[in-house]
Amino acid sequence: MKKVSLKIKLTLLYTVFILIVVGTVLGILFSLSGREMLASTKLSLERRVEECLEEIEMKDGELEIDSDFYSVENGVYLSMYDSTGYFLYGKIPRGFDKQPDFSDGEVRQIKDAAGESEWYVYDLFFRPGKDMEIYVRGVISVTEAEESFRTILRSAFILLPLLAAATAFVGYRFTKRTLRPVKDITDTVCKIRTDADLSRRIENIDDIKEVREVKEGQHRENRDEIYILAKTFNGMLDELETVFKREKQFTSDVSHELRTPVSVMLAQCDRILKDETLKPEQKVQIELIKQKAKNMSDLIAQLLFLSRADQGRQQINRENINLSELTEMVVGEQQFLAESKGCASRIVCRIEPEIWAEVDETLYIRMMMNLLSNALRYGRNRDIEVSLSIHNDSEIIGKVKDHGVGIANEDLSHIWERFYRADKSRTEGNHCGLGLSMVKWIAEAHGGSVEVVSEEGVGSEFIFHLSKAM
Ligand code: ADP
């Protein structure tokens, strides 16, 4: 039952419940009415026979009988016999072929010869005149009464499933309508997660509340639990959005405030380093300060980039650029930088020539630099492969593959988050977990995407997709 939706579960629950209740009630009713039906058949037979005695009179030594005697009322057939059992008058039902002996004032159940039909027979002895003795016999078919009872029973068994189907249908529609806001809430949460867009809200929230007219011009709202849940959820999103906006504003403000002092520090370091009177160890100390200030300046630049991106102020200047040449140039620079730092990795290129695309040159360089510097940094001095190719004449696929430390499965989905570092112990330089956030933003800002395939201890491959013309 795990995968069955709540709507179906609820519908099943009360449909089964209704079936059990109605079934039980009908069962009780029918078992009682079966007996009731037989008792009332007997009673109407007795009544009819007793009443008919009033329709028999003696006139001038002759029997005079009312014409009603012939009519079949409530299924009761009346007949009259003399004291020897000779048939005098009346009607005998078809199929009632036995003529049992007379038994005064007793209802008996008689079966026909074939044993197919059953009858109730009721005889009364009557003396309409001095020398006249007769028997009046009433006969009623039990089989017919039972048959009509069975017809009612059959109809009930046809109606019961129909009733259950109608209950299930109406119940399902009602539950679906009631639970629709819950689905809206779930959809909103999913969209917020995929788009990281906190400005979304549960829409049509006012449809949930039932507005009931009480008096003319006045109305009362029936705010049910789901309406309150949706409203609370929207309230919570308002607060979260405000907090996130404040946090982003704070990062932006701090970065701006720090930019000038760090620039001053760098400029001062350069000035001091030009001083020829400095002792070698003082020079080393100043160089160290300068290096740290440079890292800080890079970090501030990254923060400013991301906060501009968040606020939609990061400009994208697209130009038709030869991506093949640009990629080779960035690779060459990174290779040179790596060698100067003593890194033994070689960057092997497989770049299709003459791939042109409309991209922002600066942003593309920044994206490639981040991917390559990561590959060199985490590549354990092994060779790195860079490829760029075009598919279906429209899609550009770039890959940066290393054979380094790789990324653990539990870190894979987080590496695109800001300040996330899989290896928290390595904090030197300006590597503080912002690089891949920028890569993702740049790829998406160009209408593309980026993904990673990685295995811990084996290596990682970052793949980006861009379209040729934006
Ligand atoms: P950082 O500046 O710390 O490298 P990034 O955003 O560029 O930040 O990367 C986030 C994290 O992803 C890194 O801390 C690292 O753990 C992991 N990572 C990125 N690239 C690679 C790679 N090529 N191989 C292994 N891990 C990587």
Side-chain angles (χ1 to χ4, degrees), residues 2 5 35 56 93 126 140 165 191 218 228 230 273 276 283 289 320 350 373 385 388 404 436 457 466:
K2 250 188 188 171
S5 74
R35 268 176 270 149
I56 304 166
F126 183 49
I140 189 165
K191 277 182 193 148
Q218 275 188 315
I228 293 168
L273 283 171
E276 311 240 313
K283 229 176 176 175
I289 295 172
N320 200 20
R350 269 187 293 112
S373 65
E385 293 147 38
L388 195 71
L436 288 180
L466 299 175

Side-chain angles (χ1 to χ4, degrees), residues 7 11 14 170-181:
K7 284 182 292 222
T11 311
Y14 53 68
V170 174
Y172 178 78
R173 298 288 303 255
F174 177 75
T175 316
K176 193 173 161 193
R177 195 169 164 270
T178 313
L179 290 181
R180 199 177 51 209

Side-chain angles (χ1 to χ4, degrees), residues 232-372:
T232 314
F233 193 81
N234 274 353
M236 187 191 73
L237 284 175
D238 284 345
E239 277 171 30
L240 271 179
E241 194 186 9
T242 315
V243 170
F244 270 76
K245 269 191 186 151
R246 222 179 283 148
E247 189 236 49
K248 279 176 185 163
Q249 191 57 46
F250 174 76
T251 313
S252 169
D253 293 349
V254 168
S255 313
H256 273 107
E257 292 301 321
L258 287 176
R259 202 160 57 157
T260 319
V262 171
S263 307
V264 172
M265 277 162 74
L266 277 171
Q268 288 302 321
C269 286
D270 282 337
R271 260 189 66 191
I272 298 170
L273 283 171
K274 279 185 193 146
D275 186 349
E276 311 240 313
T277 60
L278 276 184
K279 289 182 190 155
E281 66 268 22
Q282 286 174 319
K283 229 176 176 175
V284 171
Q285 284 162 349
I286 300 294
E287 286 285 1
L288 185 68
I289 295 172
K290 188 184 165 190
Q291 182 54 47
K292 295 291 169 195
K294 175 82 181 52
N295 289 346
M296 243 164 106
S297 163
D298 288 346
L299 173 63
I300 291 167
Q302 288 183 347
L303 282 173
L304 280 174
F305 176 94
L306 286 170
S307 63
R308 269 199 304 271
D310 286 340
Q311 291 160 357
R313 289 192 295 111
Q314 179 59 51
Q315 297 228 334
I316 306 167
N317 302 313
R318 287 182 187 130
E319 287 167 275
N320 200 20
I321 285 173
N322 187 334
L323 273 195
S324 312
E325 274 180 10
L326 189 62
T327 311
E328 268 175 39
M329 190 198 84
V330 182
V331 167
E333 268 177 21
Q334 288 296 309
Q335 179 76 71
F336 177 75
L337 217 69
E339 278 165 15
S340 64
K341 283 185 191 164
C343 173
S345 297
R346 264 184 337 117
I347 307 178
V348 184
C349 287
R350 269 187 293 112
I351 297 173
E352 274 182 30
E354 293 302 313
I355 296 179
W356 289 78
E358 281 181 27
V359 295
D360 181 312
E361 186 174 345
T362 319
L363 293 182
Y364 182 79
I365 294 175
R366 200 183 269 254
M367 178 175 82
M368 282 308 291
M369 269 172 53
N370 276 317
L371 291 177
L372 283 167

Side-chain angles (χ1 to χ4, degrees), residues 32-172:
L32 287 178
S33 1
R35 268 176 270 149
E36 261 313 292
M37 182 268 303
L38 291 178
S40 82
T41 310
K42 268 185 197 168
L43 197 68
S44 61
L45 173 68
E46 286 168 350
R47 251 197 227 138
R48 178 77 181 106
V49 176
E50 278 154 19
E51 278 167 11
C52 86
L53 297 186
E54 291 162 17
E55 295 161 14
I56 304 166
E57 281 174 347
M58 281 300 276
K59 237 183 194 175
D60 307 328
E62 290 282 315
L63 264 180
E64 201 177 275
I65 299 151
D66 203 311
S67 60
D68 280 356
F69 199 86
Y70 258 120
S71 62
V72 180
E73 268 178 42
N74 299 329
V76 180
Y77 289 78
L78 296 171
S79 49
M80 191 189 297
Y81 303 83
D82 67 10
S83 53
T84 62
Y86 181 75
F87 176 79
L88 297 175
Y89 194 72
K91 245 183 170 180
I92 295 171
R94 196 177 297 163
F96 184 69
D97 43 14
K98 275 191 177 172
Q99 276 304 342
D101 293 338
F102 292 98
S103 167
D104 182 29
E106 186 195 354
V107 179
R108 287 167 296 157
Q109 197 163 349
I110 308 284
K111 268 196 179 158
D112 68 358
E116 279 170 8
S117 315
E118 268 186 274
W119 313 86
Y120 279 141
V121 178
Y122 183 56
D123 302 325
L124 274 185
F125 178 75
F126 183 49
R127 251 198 207 103
K130 256 196 224 155
D131 306 322
M132 195 69 184
E133 288 183 346
I134 56 165
Y135 278 105
V136 175
R137 169 164 282 174
V139 180
I140 189 165
S141 167
V142 180
T143 317
E144 257 172 44
E146 276 177 347
E147 189 49 48
S148 56
F149 181 68
R150 267 199 289 273
T151 310
I152 298 174
L153 205 66
R154 238 176 275 136
S155 322
F157 277 105
I158 293 168
L159 282 176
L160 190 61
L162 285 180
L163 178 79
T167 313
F169 177 74
V170 174
Y172 178 78

Side-chain angles (χ1 to χ4, degrees), residues 374 378 402 406-407 415 420-423 431-433 435-436 460 462:
N374 276 349
Y378 301 108
D402 65 63
I407 304 167
I415 57 168
Y420 190 87
R421 292 190 326 270
D423 183 357
H431 290 270
C432 54
L436 288 180
S460 315
F462 285 83

